[in-house]
Amino acid sequence: MPPRRKAREVAIGPVVIGGNNPIAVQSMTATDTADVEATVEQITALAEAGCELIRVTVDTRKAAAALPEIRRRCPIPLIADIHFNHRLALEAAPYVDKIRINPGNIGSEDNIRAVIARANEFGLPIRVGVNNGSLERDIALKYGAHLKDNILMPPEEGYPAEALVDSALRNIEILEAHGFTRTIISVKSSNVPLMVRAYRLLAAACDYPLHLGVTEAGTLENSNIKSSIGIGALLLDGIGDTLRVSIAARRTEEKVEEIKTGFKILQALGLRRYGVEVVACPTCGREDVGFDTTRIAREIEALTARMSRPVKVSVMGCYVNGPGEAAEADLGVVASGKTARIYRRGELIESMVPFDRVTQRMKELIETFYDPPA
Ligand code: SF4
C-alpha cells in the first residue's frame, strides 16, 4: 500500500483523527434526537460494537434541548449534524465535540462568523459535509444543472467530481477567511466512481483530514458492497482519516452493522483489527469427509461475535493449503483425515482433535489466546 496521506491532526473530544492516528469508525443515530431514551440506547449499542464517534441530527429546538442529557450519558464523542439553521449550531456547541455543517447553506456571513466564534469558544472542529444532492446553486449551475420551475435539476449525466471538490474548497476558504482550520471534510456521493474521484482530487488539493463515506448507499447488502469498494479504494490509496458506512436502517441491530462493516473494511486492509476474524477456505471436493468447514466457521463466528480482542482464526477443510494458511493466523484448525490439527501461529499444538470437538476447542483457545502461559 502507498504511504498514508499526511493530513493535519484534528481533535474531536479525546479522539484525534488525521496524522498517524487510527482511522476512526463512526455512525449516526436514526432516532428522533429529542427522544433522549431511544437516542442514548442506540448510541450505547453502537459504542459497544466499537463506534468511536457518534453523530445526531439537530434539526429542531427540541433536539438541541435534548443534547445536555444525551451528552451526559454518551460514552463517545458526540457530533451535531446541522443544516440551514445556524442558531441550532450555537445552541448545540456547549454539549458536543464537533459540528457538521456546510458554511455554504447557513446563510449570511454574520451567521458563519457566529458559528465559527461559537466553535472557537468550545474548541470544536467543524466538518464540511459536501454532498452532490446539496451543492450550492451557482456551483450546480456551473457544472450543468438547470432550473425548472425554480427547482435545481442536476445534469442528466450527473455532476462531475470537480463540482463536489469546488464546493469543498469554497467552504474551506470561508472557514480559513475567518482563521478557522479545525476542519474535517467529506465529499460523499451515492455514485462510487464519482465519490472516489472526488476524494482523490480533494486529497491532492488540501491537507485537512477526510471523512470517507458512500452516501445513500442503500440497504445492508448494497451498502456493504458499495462502501467496501468506495471506501476501500481510497484507503488503498492511503486516503482517509475517519469513515462511516451508511446503511438504510432505523433499527439498532441494523445500525450496528455500520460499525461492523466499517471495521471489517479496515481489517481486510490490515489497517485496524476488530475482534475475532475468521478466515475459512471456500471448501471443495477435497474437504475431508465429516469435517464441515462452513458450519465450523459459522459456529466460531457466532460464539465469538462479542469478543473484542483481535484474534485471527483460520478454518481449512483439508491438508492441501491448511498448514500454510494456518501459519498466517493466530489460531488455525485444519482437517487432516479423520481428525483435525490445531496450530498456534504456525506451530502445531494439538492433533487428533475429533471433528465434533473442533468448535468448542477453538472457542476455548480463542478465549485464552492472550492469557499468559501457565
Ligand atoms: S483447503 Fe482443501 S477443502 Fe478447502 S478449498 Fe482448499 S483444497 Fe478444498
Side-chain angles (χ1 to χ4, degrees):
M1 283 173 67
R4 184 169 168 189
R5 167 181 172 265
K6 287 198 190 321
R8 70 174 72 188
E9 292 188 339
V10 173
I12 306 166
V15 175
V16 180
I17 63 164
N20 288 321
N21 296 292
I23 296 163
V25 175
Q26 59 177 284
S27 183
M28 182 172 181
T29 54
T31 55
D32 173 1
T33 306
D35 183 343
V36 172
E37 291 307 318
T39 303
V40 169
E41 191 182 316
Q42 194 162 89
I43 291 173
T44 304
L46 287 161
E48 280 173 4
C51 183
E52 293 164 312
L53 302 163
I54 188 71
R55 183 160 43 115
V56 297
T57 184
V58 182
D59 54 342
T60 61
R61 299 287 307 274
K62 276 188 178 175
L67 290 175
E69 180 62 9
I70 294 172
R71 162 77 285 165
R72 199 179 66 75
R73 294 162 62 185
C74 182
I76 50 178
L78 184 63
I79 302 164
D81 189 274
I82 291 157
H83 288 277
F84 308 119
N85 187 346
H86 82 289
R87 286 183 211 288
L88 294 174
L90 306 185
E91 284 181 40
Y95 309 107
V96 297
D97 299 288
K98 185 175 91 173
I99 294 171
R100 180 266 166 119
I101 205 164
N102 285 353
N105 77 15
I106 59 166
S108 70
E109 191 78 8
D110 283 348
N111 293 354
I112 294 166
R113 199 175 298 120
V115 171
I116 292 172
R118 197 74 163 149
N120 281 333
E121 186 182 347
F122 293 95
L124 305 183
I126 292 177
R127 170 158 72 91
V128 170
V130 174
N131 185 311
N132 66 337
S134 56
L135 287 172
E136 294 91 335
R137 174 177 283 229
D138 64 313
I139 291 180
L141 292 171
K142 174 181 166 189
Y143 286 98
H146 64 277
L147 289 170
K148 189 174 174 192
D149 300 330
N150 211 27
I151 294 172
L152 210 51
M153 306 298 289
E156 232 170 74
E157 65 283 7
Y159 294 107
E162 286 79 359
L164 277 73
V165 177
D166 267 14
S167 174
L169 294 177
R170 172 186 292 182
N171 282 295
I172 288 170
E173 272 175 30
I174 294 171
L175 292 170
E176 286 181 346
H178 291 87
F180 191 92
T181 54
R182 288 188 306 279
T183 309
I184 299 155
I185 317 169
S186 63
V187 278
K188 296 186 184 181
S189 166
S190 59
N191 178 321
V192 174
L194 173 70
M195 158 267 185
V196 170
R197 184 167 149 70
Y199 274 104
R200 284 177 177 156
L201 291 171
L202 186 60
C206 71
D207 72 345
Y208 288 104
L210 300 182
H211 164 117
L212 304 184
V214 178
T215 194
E216 294 124 28
T219 50
L220 182 65
E221 187 177 346
N222 275 333
S223 174
N224 281 354
I225 291 170
K226 285 185 168 186
S227 301
S228 299
I229 295 171
I231 295 171
L234 291 162
L235 292 172
L236 279 167
D237 283 350
I239 295 170
D241 303 287
T242 177
L243 64 87
R244 182 203 174 186
V245 172
S246 300
I247 298 173
R250 291 188 74 90
R251 292 188 301 130
T252 299
E253 320 76 276
E254 295 173 296
K255 275 278 154 229
V256 165
E257 295 299 323
E258 294 192 354
I259 305 305
K260 291 183 183 171
T261 304
F263 273 105
K264 284 179 180 176
I265 292 171
L266 293 170
Q267 184 162 262
L269 299 172
L271 295 169
R272 298 279 305 260
R273 294 193 72 185
Y274 180 68
V276 177
E277 176 187 8
V278 180
V279 175
C281 80
T283 80
C284 72
R286 283 207 187 89
E287 185 180 54
D288 283 331
V289 176
F291 188 88
D292 188 337
T293 306
T294 313
R295 179 179 56 76
I296 291 169
R298 284 195 182 134
E299 286 174 352
I300 294 172
E301 280 176 345
L303 288 170
T304 60
R306 299 190 73 80
M307 287 185 200
S308 56
R309 292 195 294 182
V311 183
K312 185 173 180 181
V313 176
S314 74
V315 183
M316 304 295 286
C318 80
Y319 207 66
V320 172
N321 295 318
E325 194 64 50
E328 305 214 341
D330 293 315
L331 289 165
V333 60
V334 181
S336 179
K338 294 189 183 329
T339 56
R341 297 179 181 196
I342 295 178
Y343 296 80
R344 184 187 168 98
R345 294 194 167 146
E347 183 191 337
L348 180 66
I349 55 168
E350 292 183 24
S351 54
M352 309 288 283
V353 181
F355 289 160
D356 63 359
R357 282 273 305 142
V358 164
T359 300
Q360 185 56 32
R361 187 64 191 129
M362 290 298 284
K363 177 176 178 277
E364 291 161 4
L365 289 168
I366 292 166
E367 283 173 344
T368 56
F369 187 76
Y370 290 102
D371 288 358

